[in-house]
Each structure stands twice: as C-alpha cells, then as structure tokens.
Amino acid sequence: DLPSSLQVSSCLTTSMPEYIGHMAQKQKVPVTRAGEVDGSVLVKHMSNLDAVAGEACLVNYLDGIDYDQKLFPKAVTAWGKGDIKTVLANYQDQPFLTCDLANADSAAFIQTYAVDMMVDALNQELATPGKSMAVVDISDLLRKGGVLDKMRAQGIEVTSPDM
C-alpha cells in the first residue's frame, strides 16, 4: 500500500530508512540496518572548495533539484511497477555526485559507505536462509561501480524483469 499524503509528508521529517524501518516494525518484521554514515567528510570537502569550484557544485546541486522534480518521479513509479526499461530511460546519477566524486576523499567515502557497506550487508543476508529485503538508494544501486555492479563482479547473478 502506498502511504497517504499525510504519511508521506510526515516521513519527510525523518530519514527514509527510519520511515521504512518504522513501517516494518509495525508489521513485526525484524529490521537490521546496514550501518551508519557520518557525512562530515562531504561537508569538509564542500567547505574547502574555492569560489569557482563551490559555484560549480552549487549548480550541480540545483540541477539535482530539477532532476528530482522532473525525471525522478517517473523512474520511481516505473520501479514500483517493475518497468525497468522506463526506469533506465528516466534515471541518471544525481548531479551532486559529479562534485562529490571529483574529490578523492569524498569519492572514497561514498564508495566505502554508500556502496561497499551495502554490498557487505547484502552478502550477509544472502548467506542467511530465508527472505530478506534491502532498501538501497537508487543512485547507489544503479550507478557504474554501484551495488549491482559490485554484486555482479562477485559472481552473484543479478536479474531483472523482462524489458
């Protein structure tokens, strides 16, 4: 069931993982978080930029807002229906990644915490009998070198619905 607009607006005051975790707990589904992320590396990177680089990053962030309003809803709706062809047609990396991945420290941070930590958690769950569900940011899941690419590189078969 999709949450009502009231529930959606209330979830926006907390993080999406907290909201999903709360929904799972209400259904008595056990929840294990993959880990916690300290974003201070990204904040430090952003605060050390010169004026030109800072403006370029700001433009990237603003472009991300345009993306979120125009294309992302189409991709998310398609994802919910299993329409992978439409997802891929409307998906793009978040524009802010251009800025964050340009710095070695922040790129390593994103790789370690957003991708590697999730891949480790998924591997633990795959080794455990039973069913599991993972909530992964679509950008971390689909981008080149992201979660799906890492899982494939480990020899794990990743399939999708027919396109």
Side-chain angles (χ1 to χ4, degrees), residues 59-122:
V59 168
N60 275 322
Y61 280 100
L62 294 174
D63 287 346
I65 293 169
D66 289 341
Y67 164 74
D68 286 344
Q69 291 179 342
K70 293 177 185 170
L71 296 177
F72 196 64
K74 293 176 188 173
V76 169
T77 300
W79 183 267
K81 296 177 181 175
D83 181 358
I84 304 303
K85 186 175 185 178
T86 301
V87 170
L88 295 175
N90 289 284
Y91 169 77
Q92 67 181 28
D93 276 342
Q94 292 284 1
F96 69 83
L97 282 174
T98 303
C99 181
D100 291 338
L101 295 176
N103 172 278
D105 290 338
S106 59
F109 169 85
I110 290 170
Q111 186 65 37
T112 298
Y113 290 104
V115 177
D116 296 343
M117 187 169 52
M118 181 56 69
V119 169
D120 291 344
L122 289 170

Side-chain angles (χ1 to χ4, degrees), residues 31-57:
V31 175
T32 304
R33 293 187 70 141
E36 297 292 325
V37 176
D38 173 9
S40 62
V41 171
L42 298 179
V43 172
K44 182 179 176 187
H45 164 62
M46 296 301 290
S47 65
N48 290 330
L49 296 174
D50 62 31
V52 173
E55 183 178 348
C57 284

Side-chain angles (χ1 to χ4, degrees), residues 79 122 126 141-142 146-161:
W79 183 267
L122 289 170
L126 288 171
L141 188 70
L142 296 179
V147 172
L148 290 181
D149 282 352
K150 289 276 188 174
M151 301 298 283
R152 285 183 186 109
Q154 293 175 357
I156 296 170
E157 182 180 354
V158 177
T159 62
S160 63

